[in-house]
Amino acid sequence: MLDRDAPIFEVSEEIRNSIIQVYLRDASQSIIEIEGGTIQKEHEVVRKAAHKLKGASATLGATEMTNICRNMENPVMQNMDMLHKLKEAFKTLKNAIA
Amino acid sequence: MHCLIVDDDNTSRKVIESFVEQSEDLSLAGSFGNPQKALQFLKKNPVDVILVDIEMPEMSGFDMVDSLQGNPSVIFITGKEKYAVEAFDKNAIDYLVKPVKYDRFKNALEKVQLPDAVSDTKFIFVKSGSVLVKLDIYDIDYVESIGDYIGVHVAGKRYVVHTTMKEAEMKLPIDQFCRIHRSFIINFGRIEQIEENTATVVEKVLPISRTYRKNLMKRMNTF
């Protein structure tokens, strides 16, 4: 589920586990912002939240989340279909690593 | 080397914090998600290097760097490549694109050069036996290599120090000292005479090697 070549695998297991908890908490918040921005068509809100979540996901090695967030930085890709993909990817990730 | 991390993304920030802890030559002075709080902290706690994100909600990393007092080294860590030119315009030491791996992080930190302590002072301390002797840099006549040690010659005395010629060369002010041989660094002010392949410094005749002669002659004030 996580790319083992990611930076998170270069820290100790104890720290990694604590960082994963931080990620899950922050990602939930970012997804709420992305959802609100997508519904309201506030492109800059979505872009900023997606950008932040993209960086965190890449650091964690959550490749699918990273790719979806990268797409959602682009206003053209900010739609309900992409939001649904993001939420599904997060749900799968959470089940795998939480 | 004291460093400060500024990134609104907690996950990336925590990983960089861990990288700092893994690095023996680094100590974490502070870590902030908010650049304005980081600026407040820096007013009372100067650091050697700042690792800063660019896109942050309260203030961009560029604006933060523009507001810095003092002259810490800056390394940008960001999710996009497009800011690189502006980053280097702001004299960034390096520009890291997330996700940042430990080797790349270390490589960036190795580029940070701390200000030379000697440049702010005209004194240097050398260990003589069990005591540290304070020397006026401009009183040094010349420095010679002695195996794994160097000999610092001052007013007829020699202080033997465990260091390299390269280290000594870096610590001595470049406008006053010149390497003339792999085994000798001389004080310009103490040169009495220069011949084809030798320099006389306080009555001591020292060799000038072909490698260093050109540079020495370029720096000499001759008719």
Side-chain angles (χ1 to χ4, degrees):
Chain A
M1 180 50 65
L2 295 180
D3 175 6
R4 296 191 72 84
D5 200 33
I8 192 84
F9 288 98
E10 296 184 307
V11 305
S12 72
E13 190 177 356
E14 187 186 354
I15 294 172
R16 179 160 64 245
N17 289 336
S18 75
I19 293 174
I20 286 172
Q21 296 311 311
V22 169
Y23 170 84
L24 292 173
R25 184 197 66 203
D26 289 357
S28 298
Q29 182 58 40
S30 292
I31 290 169
I32 290 170
E33 289 170 26
I34 291 170
E35 183 168 24
T38 303
I39 291 167
Q40 299 295 323
K41 299 198 183 306
E42 292 174 322
H43 297 308
E44 190 58 12
V45 170
V46 177
R47 190 193 69 76
K48 283 183 176 174
H51 173 77
K52 186 173 168 179
L53 184 53
K54 181 189 75 175
S57 301
T59 300
L60 201 74
T63 311
E64 193 177 357
M65 291 284 292
T66 306
N67 292 337
I68 296 170
C69 288
R70 184 178 293 114
N71 284 332
M72 293 198 82
E73 285 187 277
N74 181 351
V76 177
M77 304 290 275
Q78 294 171 2
N79 54 53
M80 295 307 285
D81 184 42
M82 197 58 78
L83 174 66
H84 178 70
K85 280 185 183 169
L86 177 66
K87 289 167 86 171
E88 281 301 308
F90 183 59
K91 196 170 152 187
T92 307
L93 177 69
K94 200 172 170 181
N95 287 337
I97 65 173
Chain B
M1 191 154 59
H2 296 288
C3 69
L4 183 85
I5 304 168
V6 189
D7 191 336
D8 66 315
D9 166 22
N10 293 317
T11 304
S12 303
R13 200 175 69 245
K14 296 280 177 200
V15 169
I16 298 297
E17 282 174 21
S18 182
F19 285 174
V20 170
E21 280 168 23
Q22 288 177 44
S23 309
E24 284 179 7
D25 47 351
L26 287 178
S27 69
L28 185 63
S31 179
F32 294 88
N34 182 324
Q36 285 162 339
K37 287 186 178 166
L39 283 171
Q40 287 293 322
F41 175 85
L42 284 168
K43 281 182 185 170
K44 291 184 180 172
N45 305 278
V47 298
D48 301 306
V49 57
I50 298 176
L51 301 145
V52 59
D53 188 16
I54 294 175
E55 282 196 24
M56 294 181 282
E58 292 86 2
M59 179 186 236
S60 80
F62 288 146
D63 288 343
M64 182 188 155
V65 168
D66 287 341
S67 306
L68 285 174
Q69 293 170 350
N71 196 23
S73 298
V74 174
I75 295 171
F76 288 105
I77 299 182
T78 183
K80 288 184 176 153
E81 294 170 0
K82 68 177 184 180
Y83 300 118
V85 172
E86 192 174 352
F88 286 110
D89 279 348
K90 292 187 182 293
N91 295 320
I93 296 289
D94 209 337
Y95 184 88
L96 307 182
V97 179
K98 295 176 186 176
V100 179
K101 300 275 289 177
Y102 182 68
D103 282 350
R104 184 68 186 86
F105 166 83
K106 283 291 284 177
N107 177 264
L109 267 299
E110 279 165 12
K111 295 176 187 171
V112 177
Q113 290 189 333
L114 295 178
D116 190 346
V118 171
S119 64
D120 294 335
T121 169
K122 59 179 204 156
F123 297 104
I124 191 165
F125 285 87
V126 297
K127 197 168 185 182
S128 175
S130 59
V131 296
L132 284 172
V133 180
K134 184 182 178 184
L135 299 178
D136 186 323
I137 280 177
Y138 296 98
D139 286 344
I140 295 172
D141 299 323
Y142 66 95
V143 175
E144 68 175 321
S145 168
I146 317 168
D148 291 338
Y149 296 80
I150 63 164
V152 181
H153 291 258
V154 181
K157 279 182 115 178
R158 185 177 80 167
Y159 299 91
V160 177
V161 183
H162 187 228
T163 188
T164 63
M165 289 295 276
K166 193 171 177 62
E167 278 280 314
E169 201 175 6
M170 283 169 63
K171 287 194 172 180
L172 295 169
I174 196 166
D175 60 333
Q176 189 67 26
F177 289 84
C178 183
R179 185 88 173 252
I180 59 164
H181 187 273
R182 64 184 164 81
S183 298
F184 293 98
I185 300 168
I186 59 170
N187 182 340
F188 271 121
R190 296 294 194 279
I191 298 174
E192 291 158 0
Q193 186 177 305
I194 290 183
E195 290 182 39
E196 184 64 24
N197 296 315
T198 60
T200 306
V201 178
V202 284
E203 298 180 354
K204 176 88 177 173
V205 179
L206 304 174
I208 302 171
S209 71
R210 202 183 303 166
T211 313
Y212 295 103
R213 181 179 170 76
K214 197 174 171 186
N215 181 45
L216 172 69
M217 297 313 290
K218 206 190 301 178
R219 293 175 60 186
M220 295 300 294
N221 186 17
T222 58
F223 283 113

